[in-house]
Amino acid sequence: MSEADDETIEAAFKALAHPTRRAILEWLKEPDSFPPQDRPAEEVGVCLKHIQARAGVSQSTASQFMAALQRAELVMCTRIGQWSHYQRDERGIDRLRQHLNAL
């Protein structure tokens, strides 16, 4: 495993240490459970404002949570205008799963 892989795995463990970040990953399994938005969440991801509202946190806290999940390669971000939309990164989640299975 490369040093970059080690850093990503470490970032994933840190990101998953927080219960709200784990909950966000669970919520993103069902993007259509969020309120409607201009573009379908299944295509572009869920707008940060909807994640923020469900989590009951400030915009800056929601942004920090999503940045941690993105650094860990557990979510992907799509920018549409001024809005950030997030969806699960299933390949990154699978890589983490494979690493855990190898332990």
Side-chain angles (χ1 to χ4, degrees):
M1 185 176 299
S2 72
E3 185 175 326
D5 289 337
D6 286 344
E7 290 173 5
T8 301
I9 297 297
E10 184 176 336
F13 286 145
K14 287 179 181 178
L16 295 172
H18 195 286
T20 303
R21 290 191 290 256
R22 288 193 308 271
I24 291 168
L25 274 181
E26 285 290 321
W27 300 337
L28 291 176
K29 282 183 177 180
E30 298 181 28
D32 58 340
S33 70
F34 286 87
Q37 50 190 40
D38 291 341
R39 306 234 343 238
E42 293 81 18
E43 293 175 17
V44 298
V46 176
C47 184
L48 179 64
K49 69 179 180 178
H50 297 310
I51 296 169
Q52 171 194 349
R54 187 173 289 182
V57 297
S58 69
Q59 188 275 331
S60 63
T61 299
S63 291
Q64 290 173 5
F65 283 168
M66 299 316 293
L69 291 168
Q70 193 172 7
R71 277 191 303 277
E73 298 179 3
L74 299 174
V75 298
M76 299 178 290
C77 181
T78 301
R79 295 280 300 178
I80 300 175
Q82 65 180 351
W83 305 106
S84 296
H85 294 74
Y86 292 91
Q87 55 191 311
R88 290 167 52 101
D89 182 343
E90 296 300 337
R91 290 187 316 195
I93 292 168
D94 284 342
R95 282 192 301 273
L96 176 60
R97 189 176 293 121
Q98 289 171 4
H99 174 77
L100 291 173
N101 285 337
L103 294 179

